Amino acid sequence: MSEFNATDLARISVVESLFAAWSSGDVDAPRQYLTDSPVLWDSVGGLKEGWPAIREYFGHGLERYPAFDARNLGSQVENAVLARACADAG
């Protein structure tokens, strides 16, 4: 992926905002970026279905790792791939 189109850039922006929300320390901040029936699969924590389960898992992570910063998880290209995969899945 050598060049981003307008859709890619919009998706990158949403993913970057979501990662910033995860990094804010506010357990409810990511909610605005999720669907009404969100599903999270984490390689450590496994499958979490629905906002209450995701919020609980995220809250536990914040207690354990209060300085967690999701913004460091990937480059813009990786974020674009993730954004495209999320859009294609939904």
Side-chain angles (χ1 to χ4, degrees):
M1 196 187 275
S2 61
E3 194 172 308
F4 299 117
N5 62 35
T7 300
D8 291 333
L9 293 173
R11 290 174 176 165
I12 290 167
S13 178
V14 170
V15 170
E16 289 175 343
S17 295
L18 172 61
F19 284 7
W22 284 124
S23 304
S24 72
D26 176 358
V27 73
D28 292 309
R31 176 65 184 107
Q32 66 180 311
Y33 299 101
L34 305 178
T35 66
D36 291 337
S37 301
V39 175
L40 171 72
W41 184 86
D42 181 81
S43 60
V44 175
L47 182 65
K48 308 298 176 198
E49 296 185 69
W51 174 242
I54 294 170
R55 185 184 188 281
E56 179 181 354
Y57 180 66
F58 177 55
H60 175 73
L62 281 178
E63 288 175 9
R64 191 163 183 195
Y65 305 103
F68 174 73
D69 191 343
R71 294 170 294 190
N72 296 324
L73 293 178
S75 70
Q76 188 178 39
V77 172
E78 291 165 333
N79 291 348
V81 171
L82 174 61
R84 182 168 286 160
C86 290
D88 291 344

